[in-house]
Amino acid sequence: MHGELLIRHAQAGFFYVVGRFASPLFPPRGGVDVPGGRVSSDFSESSPAEQTLLEAWVPLAASFLGICTAFSMSAMIGPMLVPLGSEFGMSVPALGQLATLAFLPWGVSASLIGPISDRYGRKRILLIGLAGLSISGAAAAAAPDYLTLAACRVLTGACGGFVPPSCLAALTDQFTGRRRGYAVAIGSTGYSTSWLVALPLVALLTGLYGWRSTFLLAAIFAAGTFLLMIAVFPPGKKRESPKSYLSSFAWMRSAGPWYGIGANMLERLMIAVFITYVSAFMIRRYGVSMAVLAWVLTAITAGNLFGSLAGGFLMGRSWRYAGLVAVLLIEGAALAWKFAAEPALPAAMAAGFLFSFLTGMSRSTLVDTLSNFAPQDRGTIIGVFATSNQVGFVLGASLGGLAIAWGGYGALGAICLAAGAGGAAFYLRLGSRVSAIR
């Protein structure tokens, strides 16, 4: 309980001003009945009999590690683009499609595996995903050509899609009310850590030992995570099976979830642009070495860790959707200015830090909202949420490469500005719907 109170006080300062202006837009009201569940626009308290976050530290830590491993292996191609281009004789935009080849199968597998996770348990699906990640990383380290490496990235995406949805669904199963928000926020810092630690570490290791050794080390780490999960990840309670596989998707008849999923997709588009092309941008624009790039990325991506924790606070506010509208608009503007204006290095790092901070804030609110739309099929709806992540990543990586080839990094900034405005519009609709229907 003391840990939760400390987090709340640490986060409150950032949101105070936003809350003062945003609260009239989305006043708290009652719940809304939807196919498959009931969505509450007013945040409920946790059950007194429920474990506190400190008491349930094992599933929290396991979820953190699983999410960190999966996202690190899916996004690690970004810092390798320049060295890969030198070895294979290909351009950065062309090699950027290796990111797309991981994101696309991730999106497909995350949606399809959700009902199976709901029926047979989270742990089995999680272990299959981690085993596949380890195999794909080892195979990538030995890839003799571009096509083989591309096939390995497809396997990485297909298996990676099993992991984060299983971890987040396990947390929403275990916690309710405010504790669910903080649990999802803490588990999601695994994603933030993949930015803060894994991406800079990939850049450093690639500069020191080459991209092949870096893939091999990632495969070993995934194998270690697999073995640890066998021992510590909770098996979960036996769940009632849905009447049929397709009945798990009954929530799709409601428009509400699609507003959140659409907003998430556009935010992930901006993130994909950032993680795929920011390393090449820093090297080409500022002439930094791979070693310096590692420290630059660490400074920039540190914001996402704090943003993820701040997201737990935002989830408990009546004005949370209005806050997310502002967040998406600022994200788009920050990246547009960074790529188009090409400011001095300290200013570019500050814009990147702001962007990475803000992108961590939406996940807790959105996961909780979606899980309440489908309380009996949380694995399914969170799987579709994960698919929207990957659709956004595919669009960001592919459109980003085309934008650089067509109009340079300035065109990349224009894409981010448009995506931020679109995502804000979706959150505006989601907030209006939840607050308007009693």
Side-chain angles (χ1 to χ4, degrees):
M1 297 298 293
H2 294 294
E4 296 174 38
L5 184 62
L6 180 61
I7 291 174
R8 292 182 193 179
H9 285 299
Q11 295 160 347
F14 175 80
F15 292 105
Y16 176 76
V17 175
V18 177
R20 295 280 293 180
F21 288 97
S23 56
L25 295 178
F26 301 112
R29 301 190 181 181
V32 45
D33 292 309
V34 298
R38 179 175 177 83
V39 177
S40 173
S41 62
D42 202 9
F43 202 78
S44 61
E45 294 292 339
S46 302
S47 169
E50 188 177 273
Q51 281 186 306
T52 66
L53 297 181
L54 292 179
E55 291 170 342
W57 69 271
V58 171
L60 284 171
S63 297
F64 162 84
L65 184 60
I67 292 172
C68 178
T69 302
F71 276 114
S72 297
M73 294 200 66
S74 70
M76 64 185 293
I77 202 71
M80 298 179 176
L81 292 182
V82 173
L84 284 170
S86 300
E87 178 160 340
F88 292 138
M90 301 176 66
S91 66
V92 167
L95 285 167
Q97 304 316 306
L98 287 171
T100 303
L101 292 173
F103 298 148
L104 186 59
W106 182 309
V108 175
S109 68
S111 285
L112 296 180
I113 206 65
I116 299 175
S117 170
D118 287 327
R119 180 174 298 186
Y120 297 108
R122 320 297 185 197
K123 185 170 184 176
R124 294 180 183 179
I125 304 304
L126 173 64
L127 292 177
I128 293 172
L130 289 171
L133 287 174
S134 180
I135 293 170
S136 69
D145 51 39
Y146 175 82
L147 291 179
T148 305
L149 182 58
C152 294
R153 296 302 294 166
V154 171
L155 180 59
T156 297
C159 295
F162 290 13
V163 179
S166 298
C167 294
L168 292 178
L171 294 178
T172 61
D173 290 341
Q174 183 162 355
F175 296 98
T176 60
R178 294 186 184 276
R179 286 178 189 153
R180 178 186 289 170
Y182 289 111
V184 171
I186 292 171
S188 296
T189 56
Y191 174 72
S192 309
T193 305
S194 72
W195 284 42
L196 178 62
V197 177
L199 288 183
L201 187 59
V202 166
L204 180 62
L205 292 175
T206 301
L208 292 175
Y209 305 113
W211 63 270
R212 293 184 185 276
S213 296
T214 304
F215 267 122
L216 183 59
L217 290 172
I220 295 172
F221 184 79
T225 304
F226 170 84
L227 295 174
L228 184 63
M229 290 296 186
I230 293 176
V232 305
F233 196 81
K237 299 178 181 179
K238 185 177 181 181
R239 301 177 58 83
E240 180 182 352
S241 298
K243 294 181 180 179
S244 70
Y245 183 89
L246 293 179
S247 69
S248 298
F249 297 92
W251 56 268
M252 288 185 171
R253 295 196 297 268
S254 174
W258 294 109
Y259 294 133
I261 289 170
N264 182 68
M265 180 190 71
L266 292 175
E267 186 175 35
R268 299 309 116 174
L269 185 154
M270 291 188 285
I271 293 173
V273 166
F274 182 81
I275 64 176
T276 305
Y277 298 107
V278 72
S279 296
F281 174 76
M282 289 290 184
I283 293 172
R284 299 274 173 94
R285 169 64 177 84
Y286 302 104
V288 299
S289 65
M290 293 296 292
V292 172
L293 177 63
W295 293 108
V296 170
L297 290 177
T298 298
I300 290 175
T301 56
N304 195 258
L305 177 63
F306 300 111
S308 293
L309 295 174
F313 173 86
L314 177 63
M315 178 183 161
R317 307 302 101 186
S318 61
W319 43 267
R320 55 192 177 274
Y321 300 110
L324 291 178
V325 170
V327 163
L328 267 290
L329 290 173
I330 297 172
E331 285 176 12
L335 277 194
W337 181 71
K338 176 184 177 73
F339 286 125
E342 296 187 354
L345 181 59
M349 291 175 62
F353 180 89
L354 176 63
F355 172 77
S356 66
F357 174 83
L358 294 175
T359 55
M361 291 171 52
S362 63
R363 195 173 302 108
S364 295
T365 295
L366 190 52
V367 167
D368 179 69
T369 300
L370 293 178
S371 67
N372 286 330
F373 271 107
Q376 300 302 316
D377 302 301
R378 288 182 180 136
T380 303
I381 198 168
I382 293 175
V384 175
F385 160 76
T387 295
S388 71
N389 289 341
Q390 304 314 310
V391 171
F393 287 151
V394 168
L395 291 174
S398 56
L399 293 178
L402 293 174
I404 294 174
W406 174 67
Y409 287 100
L412 206 60
I415 289 177
C416 295
L417 190 63
F426 276 123
Y427 273 127
L428 190 65
R429 291 288 294 167
L430 177 63
S432 297
R433 183 175 180 84
V434 170
S435 64
I437 303 176
R438 297 180 183 273

